[in-house]
Amino acid sequence: MKIAIAGAGAMGSKFGWHLKKAGNDVILIDTWDRNIAAVRENGVVARVKNEEIAEKMPIYSPSEIDEQKENVDLLIVFTKSMQLENMLNSLKPIISKDTYVLCLLNGLGHEDVLAKFVTRDHIIMGVTMWASMMTAPGHITFANENGNVEIQCLDPKGKDETKEIVKILSDAELNACYSENVMYSIWRKACVNGVVNALCALLGANCKEFGHTKEADELTRNIVQEFADVAQYEGVNLDRSEVIQHVESLFDTPHYPSMYQDLVQNNRPTEIDYIDGAVWRKGLKHSVPTPYCAFITRLIHAKEDILKVK
Amino acid sequence: MKIAIAGAGAMGSKFGWHLKKAGNDVILIDTWDRNIAAVRENGVVARVKNEEIAEKMPIYSPSEIDEQKENVDLLIVFTKSMQLENMLNSLKPIISKDTYVLCLLNGLGHEDVLAKFVTRDHIIMGVTMWASMMTAPGHITFANENGNVEIQCLDPKGKDETKEIVKILSDAELNACYSENVMYSIWRKACVNGVVNALCALLGANCKEFGHTKEADELTRNIVQEFADVAQYEGVNLDRSEVIQHVESLFDTPHYPSMYQDLVQNNRPTEIDYIDGAVWRKGLKHSVPTPYCAFITRLIHAKEDILKVK
């Protein structure tokens, strides 16, 4: 199977590495020059149990994708949320009407972007619990040993082909399964990001520091409540107390979530518009009040301005 | 006139210095040992146009106030909001039924605390636009040259005596006037603190950095709206657009507001419960929703926990 991975950061590189290792024909597309140069020289180098294992595969910048390149059977997107549409525009030359696009990004509403490029029966949405870190250009470390991937085609017509993709992912040791309600999982994960990522970034704290404040429980309840109120109008009935428990299960890990890393450590724009900001926007559409999501989105954007991120 | 000033920080020391210089009989009460020692040795030393001018006056810790001390005619409170009630309890020996208590603290609801100690016709509420900084124990610098004081007795019965106090303050170059609607001024100033102090502390920014973010205007509008909604139930009809303009007039000053100084610079507890937190509490009482005030209060408390302030 010919697979392209758009965005060769920590997660994209990890998926590329596994899929190549399992014998697939994989290409990477990335925008970071130093990463492209490193992968061209040494492949994607993954540190696995103190051993460095390299997998060589082609890597291109979006501008190098032209009609000369072959169409792909599967495109897995692993960009930052705000880069997704631009990336897909650059990849038009390798997207045909038969290409499946698999989206494992955090956040809400990416299916609307994908729908501009492929039909619904070729859009596969999913969540993954795998975690990975980029330690240098071309170098990754796996951040957990027990992850999984849950995916579902937006249209039942694509179910059989999606199940084949499940098999390809599992054969590559990515522990995949077909989900009958992946939007539930996406919203549930968005709740984690909407509470923990957003508040850790805003407060300059790790999960544990935030989780141990006296306010953590009430803040979590208030935000999850808004997510659940809006999710209902999108056909997803979140089990609030289960989701709250799930969010709070992270309160003992001294982990700095990705939005903290983006904003505080690297002064980069956050994905807030695709998480709390998306709930706020969807809430406006359905006339559901989401003052907490609105406020947190504004505060994160104010902090981006103060830190002069770009 | 025998005047006591409770809380000899930047503002209390400034008022004490002026009132003593104008010939009043002034004592200070403070809880900070090094400040007490410094004032005992050299008086309150104010830097005025590159000159240091000392005014000697007695200073006591609250525990030194006993029945041996003379009652005062006027008690001006300049503590932190959360220390007010404890301080007044310590000062009972010098508060008689004839003592007027003047409160110039930022924040809302202090009159309820004062009412536990004196009758309404002896409670004088006010706001001041004077600003002062403490540069070392016993040493202050005036932070502006054009301030004023606006005061009003809670009960019209105390109006004449309050006007005498206006004269005493003005004679001491504190530019005072009698207000016919001081609660309006108190709420208006609380809006400034509720927006600028709270958000600068939360975002780690000065007024200008915050004011120049793209979100500043909407955040200001949302918070002022909640203050105005609640103020209405407390008999104060804020002119929203005037108040918003007033708040936004500070957006060009690179000043770090007091709550930023407390929380970020000195890791001390903030007065949030007396500002946004007070609006949230009063909102609950009147069934007025104040999600922004609630959220910001919780976030500031979470930040206090993360920074381990005490």
Side-chain angles (χ1 to χ4, degrees), chain A residues 205-209 250-257:
Chain A
N206 64 33
C207 300
K208 189 171 177 177
E209 288 169 329
L250 301 172
F251 285 1
D252 268 323
T253 0
H255 167 69
Y256 287 94

Side-chain angles (χ1 to χ4, degrees), chain B residues 15-310:
Chain B
F15 272 63
W17 185 89
H18 281 287
L19 288 162
K20 183 69 194 349
K21 200 160 184 291
N24 296 284
D25 181 3
V26 180
I27 65 167
L28 305 177
I29 302 101
D30 200 43
T31 53
W32 187 22
D33 291 343
R34 286 180 56 205
N35 192 42
I36 293 172
V39 173
R40 280 190 181 151
E41 193 168 335
N42 303 311
V44 172
V45 182
R47 169 166 290 272
V48 187
K49 291 177 183 152
N50 292 321
E51 195 187 347
E52 291 206 322
I53 305 176
E55 284 294 333
K56 285 238 165 194
M57 62 200 98
I59 184 165
Y60 305 105
S61 79
S63 63
E64 291 172 309
I65 300 297
D66 56 27
E67 302 300 338
Q68 308 302 312
K69 300 272 183 311
E70 224 179 305
N71 288 339
V72 295
D73 304 309
L74 173 63
L75 170 64
I76 309 180
V77 291
F78 266 127
T79 61
K80 286 279 170 193
S81 297
M82 44 281 202
Q83 297 157 348
L84 179 60
E85 186 156 357
N86 270 347
M87 176 63 91
L88 286 168
N89 268 315
S90 306
L91 301 188
K92 273 182 179 170
I94 59 170
I95 302 175
S96 77
K97 67 176 183 30
D98 299 321
T99 303
Y100 285 84
V101 180
L102 167 58
C103 174
L104 294 172
L105 300 189
N106 283 333
L108 299 165
H110 301 307
E111 60 276 21
D112 301 335
V113 175
L114 302 185
K116 297 179 185 176
F117 299 88
V118 289
T119 50
R120 278 177 67 84
D121 57 353
H122 281 67
I123 297 176
I124 307 171
M125 299 301 294
V127 289
T128 175
M129 291 297 150
W130 288 112
S132 178
M133 285 181 301
M134 194 151 218
T135 52
H139 284 71
I140 54 171
T141 303
F142 302 154
N144 58 358
E145 288 184 15
N146 297 300
N148 68 349
V149 183
E150 225 183 282
I151 66 177
Q152 182 182 24
C153 187
L154 277 194
D155 187 315
K157 274 195 281 179
K159 184 167 178 176
D160 288 345
E161 291 78 1
T162 303
K163 284 192 164 173
E164 276 174 43
I165 292 166
V166 165
K167 186 168 179 324
I168 287 166
L169 292 169
S170 286
D171 287 347
E173 302 192 328
L174 286 164
N175 189 25
C177 66
Y178 191 83
S179 167
E180 293 297 342
N181 191 3
V182 83
M183 291 315 287
Y184 187 99
S185 304
I186 288 174
W187 274 87
R188 182 174 182 265
K189 196 173 182 201
C191 286
V192 173
N193 295 318
V195 174
V196 177
N197 280 33
L199 294 181
C200 286
L202 187 61
L203 296 168
N206 64 33
C207 300
K208 189 172 178 175
E209 289 170 329
F210 164 66
H212 284 215
T213 67
K214 287 186 289 295
E215 304 296 336
D217 180 59
E218 276 297 321
L219 286 166
T220 302
R221 282 171 192 282
N222 279 297
I223 297 169
V224 169
Q225 181 70 54
E226 291 186 0
F227 273 66
D229 289 347
V230 172
Q232 219 171 314
Y233 284 84
E234 304 259 320
V236 174
N237 285 299
L238 288 176
D239 174 344
R240 262 164 252 171
S241 57
E242 188 280 327
V243 172
I244 289 166
Q245 225 177 344
H246 173 52
V247 172
E248 297 189 343
S249 71
L250 300 172
F251 285 1
D252 269 323
T253 1
H255 167 69
Y256 288 93
S258 59
M259 202 182 292
Y260 174 96
Q261 294 176 32
D262 285 337
L263 185 63
V264 183
Q265 289 182 334
N266 304 313
N267 287 8
R268 284 196 300 233
T270 69
E271 297 185 310
I272 195 74
D273 285 339
Y274 301 87
I275 305 172
D276 308 74
V279 174
W280 173 24
R281 250 180 353 260
K282 287 172 186 290
L284 287 175
K285 194 174 82 185
H286 302 301
S287 301
V288 177
T290 59
Y292 273 47
C293 286
F295 195 27
I296 203 165
T297 303
R298 290 197 188 287
L299 288 171
I300 290 281
H301 282 316
K303 187 98 187 169
E304 289 171 344
D305 284 355
I306 289 164
L307 296 173
K308 302 191 196 331
V309 307
K310 49 179 185 294

Side-chain angles (χ1 to χ4, degrees), chain A residues 5-134:
Chain A
I5 295 183
M11 288 297 287
S13 298
K14 176 185 168 71
F15 272 63
W17 185 91
H18 280 287
L19 288 162
K20 183 70 193 350
K21 199 159 186 288
N24 297 284
D25 181 2
V26 180
I27 65 166
L28 305 177
I29 303 101
D30 200 43
T31 53
W32 187 23
D33 291 342
R34 285 181 56 205
N35 191 42
I36 293 172
V39 173
R40 280 190 181 150
E41 193 168 334
N42 302 311
V44 173
V45 182
R47 169 166 289 273
V48 188
K49 291 177 183 153
N50 293 321
E51 197 185 345
E52 292 206 322
I53 304 176
E55 285 294 333
K56 284 239 167 194
M57 63 200 98
I59 183 165
Y60 306 105
S61 79
S63 64
E64 292 172 309
I65 301 296
D66 56 27
E67 302 299 339
Q68 309 301 313
K69 300 273 183 311
E70 221 178 308
N71 287 340
V72 296
D73 305 308
L74 174 63
L75 170 64
I76 309 180
V77 291
F78 266 126
T79 61
K80 286 278 170 194
S81 297
M82 44 281 199
Q83 297 157 348
L84 179 61
E85 186 155 358
N86 270 347
M87 176 62 91
L88 287 167
N89 269 315
S90 305
L91 300 188
K92 274 180 179 169
I94 59 170
I95 301 174
S96 77
K97 65 174 185 31
D98 299 320
T99 303
Y100 285 84
V101 181
L102 167 58
C103 175
L104 294 172
L105 300 190
N106 283 333
L108 300 164
H110 301 308
E111 60 276 20
D112 300 337
V113 176
L114 301 184
K116 298 178 184 176
F117 300 88
V118 290
T119 51
R120 278 176 66 83
D121 55 354
H122 281 68
I123 297 177
I124 306 172
M125 299 301 293
V127 290
T128 175
M129 290 297 149
W130 289 110
S132 177
M133 285 181 302
M134 193 151 218

